[in-house]
Amino acid sequence: MQHAIIVTAGRPIDMTNNSPPPPSGTGPAITTELTTGTGLRLKVRPVTSADEPALAKFFRQVTAEDLRFRFLTAIDEVSHARLVEMISVDQDQVESFLVTGPDEAGVLAAAMLAANPAGERAEVAISIRADYKGRGIGWSLLGHLADHARRKGIRILESIESRDNHSAIALEREMGFTAHPVEGDPAPVLLRRQLA
């Protein structure tokens, strides 16, 4: 994965009339444009109930190893029940995002940000399509999610990674995360970043 610095900051754009309606109670869907260090232009928006087919197709284009890293277990396919969980989030305490490119390539990445009830700490998880890895998406998206979390008042951002996921661990360390053991489980590692 390329670790280039974001060259264009996120810019919110109201896409209310150009995107599917958001889940009830979440207000208008907002799309943010990002540009990676490799020049790839991205659009990041909240997931909607209409996104299940696109999300299912996306996860079929993620490597088996990356599926294992994302869900911390070996799976061949993301189940319908799990997809429903991803699109049925409240978009307040738990937010789910889709990342698309400027063309008709479909979903390039998916991310989730899940805050604790107090709203002080949140866990982040990111998956990237196999044919778009190494183009700065992980770096740009993680930076965007950290900024978004900070604006919401979240003070600590965390990620639980398989110890085998060396590229994600290296990227997160470059972005200011520190590694900690997961109590009672030697397989994963907890990466934590203070936002405030």
Side-chain angles (χ1 to χ4, degrees):
M1 182 171 293
Q2 187 154 344
H3 302 247
I5 296 174
I6 302 169
V7 295
T8 302
R11 179 171 52 93
I13 300 170
D14 186 348
M15 297 292 285
T16 306
N17 297 323
N18 298 327
S19 61
S24 60
T26 62
I30 300 295
T31 296
T32 300
E33 289 186 352
L34 303 174
T35 301
T36 71
T38 65
L40 180 64
R41 297 184 65 190
L42 307 174
K43 293 182 180 181
V44 183
R45 67 167 175 82
V47 72
T48 72
S49 58
D51 287 324
E52 184 181 350
L55 203 52
K57 180 179 179 183
F58 161 74
F59 278 115
R60 288 193 297 271
Q61 297 171 306
V62 172
T63 67
E65 182 179 54
D66 284 343
L67 283 178
R68 179 173 63 85
F69 290 156
R70 169 64 176 83
F71 297 103
L72 297 177
T73 187
I75 59 172
D76 294 326
E77 185 175 295
V78 179
S79 69
H80 168 69
R82 192 165 274 177
L83 291 169
V84 169
E85 287 176 9
M86 290 180 189
I87 63 172
S88 299
V89 295
D90 61 19
Q91 294 295 29
D92 183 25
Q93 186 174 336
V94 179
E95 297 177 89
S96 191
F97 301 92
L98 293 184
V99 179
T100 58
D103 52 20
E104 299 299 318
V107 178
L108 308 184
M112 183 169 282
L113 186 67
N116 68 351
E120 300 171 339
R121 175 185 315 254
E123 183 180 337
V124 64
I126 295 173
S127 298
I128 300 169
R129 213 168 83 184
D131 58 336
Y132 276 85
K133 291 182 70 174
R135 298 184 64 181
I137 294 174
W139 180 276
S140 297
L141 185 55
L142 186 55
H144 169 68
L145 293 174
D147 290 342
H148 176 72
R150 188 181 295 108
R151 285 191 299 272
K152 290 183 66 166
I154 292 169
R155 300 175 57 164
I156 299 171
L157 193 59
E158 296 179 335
S159 176
I160 299 175
E161 302 288 357
S162 164
R163 288 188 183 275
D164 297 331
N165 196 351
H166 303 293
S167 63
I169 292 169
L171 182 147
E172 289 164 7
R173 283 186 161 174
E174 283 185 32
M175 295 191 74
F177 286 75
T178 56
H180 306 272
V182 175
E183 190 173 331
D185 191 348
V189 61
L190 172 67
L191 288 113
R192 179 178 293 143
R193 177 180 167 186
Q194 291 287 142
L195 299 178

